[in-house]
Amino acid sequence: METSDYIQNRVNTNIRHFEELSKKYHRCHVAFMIAVFSCLIGVVILSVIYLIIPVIWFILSSCVLVLAGLFLLFFDVLNNYSSKSLEYKYKANLLSYEKNLYQAKESGFKGFAFRCERFM
C-alpha cells in the first residue's frame, strides 16, 4: 500500500471519525451544562415568584428542579463527557501529526520527518 493510499483510506477516515466523536461528546457535555443552568435559573425564578405569591407548589417544584439539576450534573460528571471529548480530539491531532510526517517523508523532507518522529 502506498503512502497516499494509506493516508486517504486509513488516516483521514480515522481523523474524521475521531473528530466526529469529539464533537458528539462535546455537544452532550454542553447540553447537560445548559440543562443544569436552566434548572437552577428556574429555581431562582420560582423562589422570586414564591415571595410574591406564597403557594407551596412553588417550593415543591423548586426542590424538584434542584434535584433534577444535581442529577444532570452528576450524570455528566460520572460519564466524563468532557474528558472523552478531549481524548478523541487528542487522538485526531495525533493522527493528523502522523499524516503530516508521512507526507513530509514522501515529499523529500526525510531528515526533518525523522527528527520529528523521535519526539512523537
Side-chain angles (χ1 to χ4, degrees), residues 20-116:
E20 288 171 4
L21 285 174
S22 173
K23 288 177 186 176
K24 173 185 155 188
Y25 285 119
H26 180 71
R27 286 180 189 146
C28 286
H29 173 68
V30 169
F32 277 118
M33 290 300 106
I34 289 172
V36 167
F37 289 125
S38 298
C39 287
L40 295 179
I41 288 174
V43 167
V44 170
I45 291 171
L46 286 174
S47 298
V48 169
I49 291 174
Y50 181 73
L51 292 174
I52 299 169
I53 306 170
V55 177
I56 195 70
W57 292 108
F58 291 141
I59 294 296
L60 292 175
S61 59
S62 293
C63 292
V64 168
L65 280 176
V66 166
L67 291 175
L70 288 174
F71 173 75
L72 289 170
L73 181 67
F74 287 131
F75 187 76
D76 181 52
V77 170
L78 289 176
N79 285 323
N80 226 355
Y81 287 132
S82 179
S83 69
K84 285 181 183 179
S85 170
L86 292 174
E87 178 184 338
Y88 283 118
K89 186 68 174 171
Y90 178 72
K91 286 181 181 182
N93 287 338
L94 281 180
L95 282 176
S96 177
Y97 185 71
E98 180 184 358
K99 178 180 89 169
N100 291 336
L101 279 177
Y102 278 125
Q103 288 174 343
K105 284 181 189 177
E106 189 177 78
S107 63
F109 293 106
K110 291 183 182 180
F112 174 72
F114 288 123
R115 280 192 304 252
C116 290

